[in-house]
Amino acid sequence: MGKLMLAQRLKSIALLAILVLAASTPTDDLLAYFTRLDLVVWVSFLTLLLASMRRGVLRGDKVPIGELIWFTGFLLVAAGRLYSVLTALQSIPLKFYLGGFIDAGNYTPTIMLVVMGLVLSAAGDLVKSWRALIPNPLNTVAGLARALLAHPALVSGAIAFLVRLVPELAYSNYILGYDTVEYVAHLKDFVASPSLFGVYYWFGGLRRVPPLLDWLLYPFARLADPVMVFKLYTPAVYSIVVALTVYYGTKLMGLRGKSGIALGVAASFSLLMLRLSWDLMKQLLAELFFLTAVIFVDEERRLTPLLFFAFSTLASEYGGFTSSVSALVIGLLEILKRRRTLTGLTYLASSLVFYYVTVHFMMRLPALVENPVSVVSPPVVTYDSLAVQAPYVTAYLIVTLGPLLPFYVAQLSEDLGKPRYSAAISLALLMISLTPLVAPTLNISGSGWDRVLMTIAPLILASSFKKASETGLRNSLAVITVLITLPGLYAVLPGGYFYNTVIYSALYRTPTLLRPMPPDLLLYNAAVDVSARVADFYGKMPILAPEWVARFIHLFVRNPDPRMLTSCPSLSTSAIELAVRENGHVVVVLSTNDQAVVPANFRSETIYENFYLRVVLVSS
């Protein structure tokens, strides 16, 4: 009773303090003012939290109306505390400490919620003597929670949809991701000139683009702007991928109840999964079909998986590569372990088909062969020589999968003895993704090892959570979930940049946040502005632009000729000289401060410029 009286006194003091602070005008020392305000809010929240735990609020089928009023007040105070923490994280993340969780520019809702909550809590104390009983609302909540736990895949899919929708809403007027700009432009090309298996402009060259994504989005792109189509496509497909991950973990691996929800949360915020959804739109679709195929394989559906491996191959080059490897593994297991020769040979033949379809899609025109082992390597583009990939692989494994790997290996050794097809597939693809570390000069995965690793991330997550749930270590699953989730949470929230900078600096071609590229929105707008103006010259004279700008120009030009829109990783004097000698003149997009790259012996005239970029006509 004494502790309850102390809690009530603390609550009264907190209410008085917050009213005095709210009524006073901040003076010169704003930091001290908001620090005091933040501490008072913490005292209010923690006092009510401890009191609710002590009193056992809202227990039983019937509860006093005073208890319900008191608990409503507690929820309002908790909402005020949560609101201030989230706004502080987004706007002033460097002040993420006790005394710094109040955003000076947006603190009014916090004060209102906390004051209302404290008043209601006090009112609940005053009427606690009323014996009027009402049905306990927590029973309804508990019933809803039990219903949700019974369907972890659906709940996880909903969580994933909201997680991936947040950055899309935060940057509602911008295209998220580097490649996504090219996807939007390509979809516009496809709508303008639809075909079953066509050749289209893709990042500066002509490509046979895997068509399944185009076929799927075509009707939607006829009804809405492709920018909006991708803003909804990404969360929708991401939610299905996470739901399939949880289905695999619960139905096939045996996870139960809360463990399935924990897997869904971890999968929704996994750095590998979020990276996949940032701008790898074809591979995200391929992942959906790949996971479906793997689930069907483990469910012993003989040939049905081949249909979904085929869909994955038509969706993405990486889907074709991983499907080819998976079909090879399944075929060998069918022949050597199951003694089903005909089925095994069917999978082996399908593996060859998937492989050569992938080669067909990955060849630029003219064809480009990159890898001496696999004839053509999974990555369409290569950023570094293969010999320098090893350090990236090590960092990637530690940062994205570190806490999971011991559990995954333990579960893998158990599953391979059965044998479980999905375990053998994940091991084979993991070994391929590790070849830059093990054998750099015979690297099978090229610079696309990270994308191979993304493909099997759901299988690794589910297997690891299954083994972790069986350990005798209490709360080990909760700890792993937090370790996997926290960096991904910061990647989704705009303010998370300050917490993820060091982590992401070690990750290969991975963004710090899920945001547009370039992340400087003023530079992004400048690129769109310049691209709209440069597009007017298309067809009249050749255009030469850095790759990051050329993809914006592509937004305004339908299926351009690579000779008329040349995309360069970085502009150089020699590239401009060659273009001018071939065409007599060329429109070049440069940074505002970049003067040295224009050849001194050629005439140059600035056609347009803004603060960041300028358009120059160069002629001989």
Side-chain angles (χ1 to χ4, degrees):
M1 194 66 177
K3 292 185 177 180
L4 287 179
M5 290 297 295
L6 177 60
Q8 290 176 358
R9 290 170 183 171
L10 285 174
K11 184 169 52 181
S12 301
I13 294 171
L15 177 59
L16 180 62
I18 200 168
L19 288 174
V20 170
L21 283 168
S24 62
T25 303
T27 56
D28 295 336
D29 195 353
L30 290 177
L31 178 61
Y33 174 85
F34 287 107
T35 298
R36 289 194 297 270
L37 183 60
D38 183 56
L39 293 176
V40 170
V41 174
W42 275 117
V43 169
S44 306
F45 170 66
L46 294 176
T47 299
L48 292 185
L49 178 63
L50 293 174
S52 66
M53 295 170 62
R54 183 72 178 175
R55 292 164 59 159
V57 178
L58 299 190
R59 288 187 177 178
D61 294 333
K62 298 281 188 176
V63 296
I65 190 171
E67 287 291 325
L68 182 59
I69 295 173
W70 191 95
F71 187 67
T72 303
F74 165 66
L75 292 180
L76 288 177
V77 172
R81 178 71 283 173
L82 179 62
Y83 174 83
S84 66
V85 168
L86 293 178
T87 53
L89 174 64
Q90 180 173 344
S91 59
I92 46 172
L94 289 178
K95 293 179 63 180
F96 207 63
Y97 55 83
L98 287 179
F101 286 99
I102 297 290
D103 179 3
N106 197 5
Y107 64 93
T108 304
T110 297
I111 292 180
M112 293 176 60
L113 287 169
V114 173
V115 169
M116 290 171 58
L118 290 172
V119 170
L120 279 179
S121 176
D125 288 330
L126 291 175
V127 300
K128 66 182 180 181
S129 59
W130 294 4
R131 306 312 301 170
L133 298 179
I134 60 174
N136 189 343
L138 288 189
N139 289 342
T140 303
V141 175
L144 178 61
R146 286 192 294 270
L148 293 178
L149 287 174
H151 301 89
L154 293 178
V155 175
S156 300
I159 293 172
F161 182 83
L162 293 175
V163 166
R164 192 55 188 79
L165 187 63
V166 165
E168 297 292 350
L169 295 178
Y171 298 101
S172 57
N173 296 322
Y174 299 90
I175 302 172
L176 262 66
Y178 187 89
D179 289 5
T180 315
V181 176
E182 190 73 1
Y183 276 103
V184 171
H186 169 71
L187 185 56
K188 291 183 177 183
D189 290 346
F190 187 83
V191 171
S193 303
S195 65
L196 289 179
F197 297 95
V199 175
Y200 293 92
Y201 181 93
W202 185 262
F203 276 113
L206 294 179
R207 286 281 314 282
R208 301 183 186 97
V209 179
L212 192 55
L213 181 61
D214 295 326
W215 298 347
L216 174 67
L217 297 184
Y218 176 77
F220 300 100
R222 292 297 303 266
L223 299 173
D225 186 343
V227 174
M228 297 306 301
V229 170
F230 276 105
K231 281 192 172 293
L232 292 177
Y233 159 84
T234 309
V237 177
Y238 188 65
S239 68
I240 298 173
V241 168
V242 170
L244 288 172
T245 302
V246 176
Y247 179 89
Y248 170 80
T250 54
K251 298 298 183 181
L252 299 180
M253 299 301 297
L255 283 172
R256 293 289 180 266
K258 297 177 182 178
S259 298
I261 299 296
L263 171 61
V265 172
S268 298
F269 286 101
S270 165
L271 291 179
L272 284 172
M273 304 280 277
L274 288 172
R275 173 64 186 92
L276 176 66
S277 76
W278 184 58
D279 64 351
L280 303 178
M281 300 301 162
K282 291 181 296 183
Q283 190 176 348
L284 181 63
L285 181 63
E287 181 75 0
L288 185 157
F289 294 115
F290 173 81
L291 277 179
T292 304
V294 170
I295 289 171
F296 282 157
V297 169
D298 272 4
E299 290 180 344
E300 297 284 350
R301 303 190 186 187
R302 291 284 185 91
L303 298 178
T304 305
L306 287 176
L307 175 64
F308 289 90
F309 281 134
F311 287 153
S312 184
T313 301
L314 291 174
S316 163
E317 302 89 344
Y318 292 92
F321 177 78
T322 54
S323 294
S324 176
V325 172
S326 301
L328 174 63
V329 170
I330 296 167
L332 293 175
L333 287 176
E334 286 289 302
I335 294 172
L336 300 177
K337 293 290 186 181
R338 306 288 188 184
R339 306 300 179 184
R340 297 192 288 233
T341 304
L342 182 59
T343 303
L345 290 176
T346 302
Y347 273 94
L348 293 180
S350 300
S351 174
L352 289 174
V353 172
F354 298 151
Y355 175 78
Y356 281 105
V357 170
T358 302
V359 171
H360 173 79
F361 285 137
M362 290 179 57
M363 284 184 177
R364 291 180 182 270
L365 303 175
L368 175 66
V369 176
E370 293 183 353
N371 193 288
V373 175
S374 61
V375 181
V376 59
S377 59
V380 178
V381 289
T382 299
Y383 294 93
D384 300 297
S385 66
L386 302 182
V388 302
Q389 300 288 314
Y392 293 125
V393 178
T394 305
Y396 220 78
L397 285 176
I398 293 173
V399 173
T400 62
L401 297 174
L404 301 176
L405 289 177
F407 299 101
Y408 168 70
V409 172
Q411 184 64 38
L412 190 65
S413 61
E414 178 182 320
D415 288 341
L416 288 177
K418 294 180 179 179
R420 187 190 294 272
Y421 294 102
S422 57
I425 289 170
S426 68
L427 178 62
L429 291 174
L430 178 62
M431 291 299 99
I432 288 173
S433 67
L434 294 180
T435 52
L437 183 64
V438 178
T441 57
L442 296 177
N443 179 4
I444 298 175
S445 59
S447 64
W449 55 266
D450 57 329
R451 303 192 184 188
V452 177
L453 196 58
M454 291 173 206
T455 301
I456 57 172
L459 304 180
I460 294 177
L461 278 163
S463 298
S464 303
F465 269 66
K466 171 63 165 58
K467 181 55 67 176
S469 68
E470 297 175 345
T471 63
L473 299 175
R474 188 177 181 182
N475 297 327
S476 60
L477 202 61
V479 173
I480 293 173
T481 303
V482 170
L483 291 176
I484 294 296
T485 298
L486 203 55
L489 174 64
Y490 290 142
V492 172
L493 297 175
Y497 171 83
F498 293 92
Y499 302 98
N500 274 351
T501 301
V502 175
I503 293 176
Y504 277 89
S505 64
L507 295 182
Y508 179 58
R509 60 182 180 192
T510 297
T512 309
L513 301 176
L514 270 70
R515 56 183 176 178
M517 286 298 287
D520 182 342
L521 298 185
L522 294 177
L523 181 57
Y524 181 106
N525 291 331
V528 173
D529 171 48
V530 161
S531 298
R533 296 174 182 271
V534 169
D536 291 337
F537 292 96
Y538 180 80
K540 302 173 185 176
M541 58 187 68
I543 300 169
L544 189 63
E547 183 185 80
W548 75 271
V549 177
R551 61 201 173 103
F552 286 106
I553 299 174
H554 186 193
L555 287 174
F556 300 95
V557 180
R558 297 287 54 82
N559 208 22
D561 184 335
R563 294 168 297 182
M564 297 299 294
L565 175 57
T566 304
S567 171
C568 301
S570 59
L571 286 178
S572 63
T573 302
S574 59
I576 296 176
E577 285 183 345
L578 179 61
V580 173
R581 295 189 188 283
E582 289 182 351
N583 301 283
H585 51 264
V586 63
V587 174
V588 184
V589 180
L590 303 168
S591 66
T592 301
N593 299 322
D594 194 355
Q595 304 285 347
V597 73
V598 178
N601 57 325
F602 289 161
R603 293 194 301 271
S604 64
E605 175 189 355
T606 298
I607 302 173
Y608 177 76
E609 75 178 301
N610 54 36
F611 188 75
Y612 290 95
L613 299 168
R614 64 192 181 102
V615 182
V616 180
L617 175 61
V618 182
S619 55
S620 56

